[in-house]
Amino acid sequence: MTHYTGLVDRYREFLPIGLETPAVSLCEGNTPLIELKHLPAQWGGKCRVLVKFEGLNPTGSFKDRGMTVAVTRAREEGSEAVICASTGNTSASAAAYAKRAGMICFVLIPEGNVAMGKVAQAIVHGATILQIKGNFDDGMRLVREIAEEMPVAIVNSINPYRLQGQKTAAFEVVDELEAPPDYHCLPVGNAGNISAYWLGYCEMAGHVTQVGEACGFSRDQRLFPPAIVTQSRPVMLGYQASGAAPFLRGEPVENPETKATAIRIGNPQSWDAAWAVQRESRGWFDECTDEEILAMQSQLASQEGIFCEPASAISVAGLMRDIQSGKVKEGSTIVCTLTGHGLKDPSVVGDLTLQSVPATLESIRNVVENKLNADTTA
Ligand SMILES: *Cc1c(COP(=O)(O)O)cnc(C)c1O
């Protein structure tokens, strides 16, 4: 077995990266697909649900998949600086990969609406942080404008190399399951990731997608080893927070609001691509309230041992409802992407104050005894 050196090296022949170009990598990708053991049984129906835990990427979110390709390309093209607008995770990832490449990194973040862990990452990786008195959508507009004037490469998901990198998550799912799932559930903010997964699934199945055409470099089916070419593709389900749900309203949302800050976006950059995904996969969009999102984040942590971000938990919260209502068929295999790690934002999980006990065997024994008794009588 050879040392894993990241997804550019693993999937280079399917990416728009030269064969000789050195990858800017932190060994991202290759994340686990974990089967849920407890929750699906509680929802009725007989579905197999697996989560692709992208919180286990080097900076704690799936953004690293896109960033390794975007920054590798930016360096290959001779850029000295990258810039992005961010709800947090893009800036954390851009900052880390820019440093890895020896490049300058500028990030625009909305004041007061970025999780502390993500801000800390951008700081420790030495990014120049511009906290703006505006939201993500304002930041995105400014990034587009400044990149017209200054020699800075945009590494938001409007950079098509980001989607190219992110599509590799679909490759990994199919490799591991030896077939695509019946459904794939994702949180939707800018809708870059749902578009990227669809691109990946379509490439593996030898189908052309409008998303790939928009990117301009969809690969030919012949490039894939026959063993992984499959005709089937999943139905794609995208979930948005009720206060930031432009795909449900059918138009941009002026003042998006949700505690799931990673998807607090009113004007999605991949609007047309995501509608193409919905049509081509015969999927749908739906919304969840912040209460539903936080309840599922807590259940995943306390019952399955998986701590993801609020935005990530929406993929499972939405799926639960769609299984219970019968929209998702009995007996299906479903993959939900958990986009980011819960450690990014411990402040949302509620009261973090602890009780102290004396450092004596007696006090420890009392607590252990009470807890064990309570559990056996329950
Ligand atoms: C970026 C992000 C999303 C949203 O992804 P889009 O590609 O913008 O739809 C969801 N969850 C987390 C944790 C993210 O960082």
Side-chain angles (χ1 to χ4, degrees), residues 2-29 65 68-69 72 75 100 165 168 171-172:
T2 52
H3 174 54
Y4 180 80
T5 55
L7 62 82
V8 169
D9 287 338
R10 178 163 178 197
Y11 294 112
R12 188 181 289 267
E13 58 195 309
F14 311 117
L15 294 168
I17 298 283
L19 290 179
E20 304 298 327
T21 306
V24 179
S25 174
L26 292 163
C27 296
E28 61 295 311
R65 285 184 189 275
T68 181
V69 178
T72 295
R75 192 174 66 174
R100 191 82 175 161
T168 60
F171 295 173
E172 291 176 14

Side-chain angles (χ1 to χ4, degrees), residues 61-63 89 187-193 262-263 265 309 311-312 339-340:
S61 85
F62 74 85
K63 299 298 199 297
N89 280 331
V188 173
N190 272 310
N193 209 28
I263 50 172
I265 290 165
E309 281 195 48
S312 310
T339 43

Side-chain angles (χ1 to χ4, degrees), residues 160-324:
Y161 299 115
R162 280 274 310 275
L163 267 57
Q164 289 288 324
Q166 288 167 212
K167 78 184 178 186
T168 60
F171 295 173
E172 291 176 14
V173 169
V174 177
D175 274 350
E176 205 142 329
L177 295 178
E178 296 180 330
D182 300 306
Y183 299 86
H184 193 120
C185 305
L186 285 142
V188 173
N190 272 310
N193 209 28
I194 196 168
S195 306
Y197 269 88
W198 185 240
L199 182 61
Y201 283 124
C202 288
E203 287 189 1
M204 287 201 112
H207 287 277
V208 173
T209 167
Q210 284 174 20
V211 178
E213 285 165 18
C215 284
F217 4 74
S218 200
R219 289 304 169 106
D220 194 296
Q221 178 186 347
R222 282 167 306 159
L223 287 170
F224 286 89
I228 58 169
V229 172
T230 156
Q231 279 306 298
S232 68
R233 294 176 293 178
V235 176
M236 303 295 290
L237 310 184
Y239 300 102
Q240 299 213 282
S242 294
F247 285 99
L248 279 298
R249 311 293 167 254
E251 59 183 12
V253 169
E254 193 74 46
N255 291 305
E257 268 313 334
T258 168
K259 290 193 173 126
T261 50
I263 50 172
R264 191 170 171 274
I265 290 165
N267 186 19
Q269 299 297 310
S270 292
W271 180 259
D272 293 337
W275 282 115
V277 173
Q278 182 270 321
R279 278 193 312 276
E280 292 174 2
S281 78
R282 299 189 173 80
W284 59 81
F285 297 110
D286 209 340
E287 61 189 285
C288 295
T289 63
D290 278 8
E291 290 68 34
E292 290 175 294
I293 293 169
L294 294 174
M296 185 53 73
Q297 181 195 27
S298 156
Q299 286 180 39
L300 283 164
S302 63
Q303 298 191 47
E304 300 282 358
I306 299 167
F307 188 22
C308 67
E309 281 195 48
S312 310
I314 200 173
S315 62
V316 185
L319 171 68
M320 174 180 81
R321 241 190 10 225
D322 286 340
I323 286 179
Q324 288 173 336

